[in-house]
Amino acid sequence: MVFSGAVFLYAFLPLTLAVYALAPQRGRNAVLLIASLLFYAFGEPVYVFLLLLSSVSNWALSLCIERRRGTRTAKLALAVSVLLNLGLLGFFKYADFFLENLNGLGLKVPLLRLALPVGISFYTFQAIGYTVDVYRGSVSAEQRFWRYLLFISFFPQLVAGPIERSGNILPQLQLPARFSYERAKSGLVLMLWGYIQKMVVADRLALLADTVYAQGGALGGWATATATVLFCFELYCDFSSYTDIARGAARILGVELMENFHSPFLSQSVAEFWRNWHISLSSFFRDYLYIPLGGSRRGLARTCVNTMVVFLCSGLWHGAAWTFVAWGLLHGLYLVCGRLTLP
């Protein structure tokens, strides 16, 4: 189910808001959980079981981590949780990419051709962040499975993010917020802005850019350059719009999601751009990969290596293709160059 589709706009969201408003306060999280699972099942019902399996496993492992904190058992549980989530993501997203490269070396291995579960890139990272936070002691393990499942599957941010932190969402789910007219109005305005970005700007720019690209350069260099600039804004408005719609829908329901874009094209450096573009993903890689690798604390050479590793992983996260690997390494190189030429 997509936010710009008629089913979401005219059926799912109004019915969810109506049932949520009429439900007693203690039952509102149950309404959100059922709605979230139905939202996810609309695309491919079988993958709801994958989401449930992942959630049960991570929830149980997080309880083990908290109860055995400081022991080898806690470290083992954390490792199992991280490997489980990366394994799920790797199997569904990268198995055919790996097999295609083996076939390119002369082997003849049949491809699996698995459908990619919707949102798996987002909810696996969200689960990893949660178990790491529990291991670090920055949050307490959620004792109630259904509340943890709602944290993972909350429908506004399940499909396209932002990748939320447990320290932000779980406290908001402890006691559902009462209806607020001002909050609902603010959420609807934010959703409207998201739909304007998507339908009025992004979709129109896509028509222009795609028309030029379809000509294969026949329209000349200036047309291709202009189309490329338009494509940049199309990509931004398309992605930013989904975040704004998600944040607006969540706000109406009393949940405040993190900001995911902050005027990235006004940045004065590539490093600043990545602090303002897809903030939830950039901060995830910073907190759960870059800093554990040593960050910038172990000298300039190690900082540059850590930066390249992070953006290699970022490129792979965005897509299973060598073009995304090259894209990640290119941006890593930009940041390294920026680091080396400071001030």
Side-chain angles (χ1 to χ4, degrees), residues 262-336:
H262 186 69
S263 303
F265 289 141
L266 300 182
S267 303
Q268 296 183 8
S269 67
V270 178
E272 184 182 347
F273 172 86
W274 279 108
R275 289 193 293 269
N276 296 324
W277 175 283
H278 205 342
I279 298 170
S280 64
L281 180 66
S282 299
S283 61
F284 178 92
F285 278 119
R286 179 196 65 205
D287 295 342
Y288 300 111
L289 183 58
Y290 179 72
I291 292 177
L293 286 174
S296 57
R297 304 187 305 273
R298 299 184 180 180
L300 181 60
R302 182 63 178 271
T303 299
C304 294
V305 170
N306 292 342
T307 299
M308 295 300 293
V309 169
V310 166
F311 275 88
L312 171 62
C313 294
S314 176
L316 279 172
W317 183 88
H318 279 86
W322 286 111
T323 49
F324 284 106
V325 173
W327 172 89
L329 292 175
L330 187 63
H331 275 271
L333 184 62
Y334 290 156
L335 266 76
V336 167

Side-chain angles (χ1 to χ4, degrees), residues 118-183:
V118 176
I120 193 171
S121 296
F122 293 91
Y123 73 71
T124 50
F125 269 29
Q126 193 158 308
I128 289 173
Y130 168 78
T131 51
V132 172
D133 287 344
V134 171
Y135 179 80
R136 291 173 175 174
S138 54
V139 298
S140 297
E142 177 54 58
Q143 302 298 310
R144 299 183 179 183
F145 170 69
W146 62 265
R147 189 176 288 158
Y148 171 81
L149 180 59
L150 177 57
F151 158 68
I152 292 294
S153 65
F154 186 47
F155 75 85
Q157 47 88 213
L158 176 61
V159 173
I163 303 169
E164 270 294 350
R165 303 298 179 88
S166 53
N168 178 38
I169 295 297
L170 283 173
Q172 297 185 66
L173 299 178
Q174 295 291 330
L175 186 63
R178 297 183 181 277
F179 176 80
S180 165
Y181 170 76
E182 290 300 324
R183 188 173 59 239

Side-chain angles (χ1 to χ4, degrees), residues 26-313:
R26 287 192 173 185
R28 287 178 176 174
N29 277 348
V31 173
L32 291 182
L33 179 57
I34 294 171
S36 297
L37 294 178
L38 289 174
F39 177 89
Y40 194 70
F42 185 84
E44 184 59 67
V46 68
Y47 285 133
V48 172
F49 296 103
L50 183 66
L51 176 66
L52 291 172
L53 175 63
S54 170
S55 299
V56 168
S57 303
N58 285 294
W59 174 72
L61 288 166
S62 70
L63 292 177
C64 176
I65 291 170
E66 184 167 76
R67 291 167 186 171
R68 305 299 297 274
R69 181 172 285 122
T71 67
R72 289 184 178 180
T73 304
K75 291 183 179 180
L76 178 61
L78 174 63
V80 171
S81 175
V82 172
L83 290 174
L84 170 67
N85 287 290
L86 293 180
L88 283 175
L89 181 60
F91 178 71
F92 283 97
K93 193 168 184 176
Y94 305 107
D96 279 349
F97 174 62
F98 177 73
L99 294 176
E100 284 173 355
N101 283 278
L102 287 180
N103 291 336
L105 295 175
L107 300 178
K108 293 185 178 180
V109 184
L111 301 182
L112 300 179
R113 303 196 183 281
L114 297 170
L116 183 66
V118 176
I120 193 171
S121 296
F122 293 91
Y123 73 71
T124 50
F125 269 29
Q126 193 158 308
I128 289 173
Y130 168 78
T131 51
V132 172
D133 287 344
V134 171
Y135 179 80
R136 291 173 175 174
S138 54
V139 298
S140 297
E142 177 54 58
Q143 302 298 310
R144 299 183 179 183
F145 170 69
W146 62 265
R147 189 176 288 158
Y148 171 81
L149 180 59
L150 177 57
F151 158 68
I152 292 294
S153 65
F154 186 47
F155 75 85
Q157 47 88 213
L158 176 61
V159 173
I163 303 169
E164 270 294 350
R165 303 298 179 88
S166 53
N168 178 38
I169 295 297
L170 283 173
Q172 297 185 66
L173 299 178
Q174 295 291 330
L175 186 63
R178 297 183 181 277
F179 176 80
S180 165
Y181 170 76
E182 290 300 324
R183 188 173 59 239
K185 182 177 72 172
S186 173
L188 287 170
V189 169
L190 187 56
M191 289 184 69
L192 178 60
W193 171 238
Y195 283 116
I196 290 174
Q197 287 185 86
K198 171 62 179 169
M199 298 180 176
V200 178
V201 182
D203 289 352
R204 303 285 79 75
L205 292 180
L207 292 175
L208 294 171
D210 292 348
T211 299
V212 174
Y213 285 146
Q215 304 303 313
L219 298 179
W222 282 108
T224 303
T226 302
T228 301
V229 173
L230 295 179
F231 174 74
C232 292
F233 285 94
E234 173 205 335
L235 182 65
Y236 167 68
C237 290
D238 192 81
F239 202 174
S240 178
S241 68
Y242 273 84
T243 298
D244 287 340
I245 295 169
R247 293 179 64 223
R251 184 175 294 173
I252 298 170
L253 296 167
V255 176
E256 196 65 35
L257 300 179
M258 69 182 295
E259 185 179 10
N260 214 16
F261 294 88
H262 186 69
S263 303
F265 289 141
L266 300 182
S267 303
Q268 296 183 8
S269 67
V270 178
E272 184 182 347
F273 172 86
W274 279 108
R275 289 193 293 269
N276 296 324
W277 175 283
H278 205 342
I279 298 170
S280 64
L281 180 66
S282 299
S283 61
F284 178 92
F285 278 119
R286 179 196 65 205
D287 295 342
Y288 300 111
L289 183 58
Y290 179 72
I291 292 177
L293 286 174
S296 57
R297 304 187 305 273
R298 299 184 180 180
L300 181 60
R302 182 63 178 271
T303 299
C304 294
V305 170
N306 292 342
T307 299
M308 295 300 293
V309 169
V310 166
F311 275 88
L312 171 62
C313 294

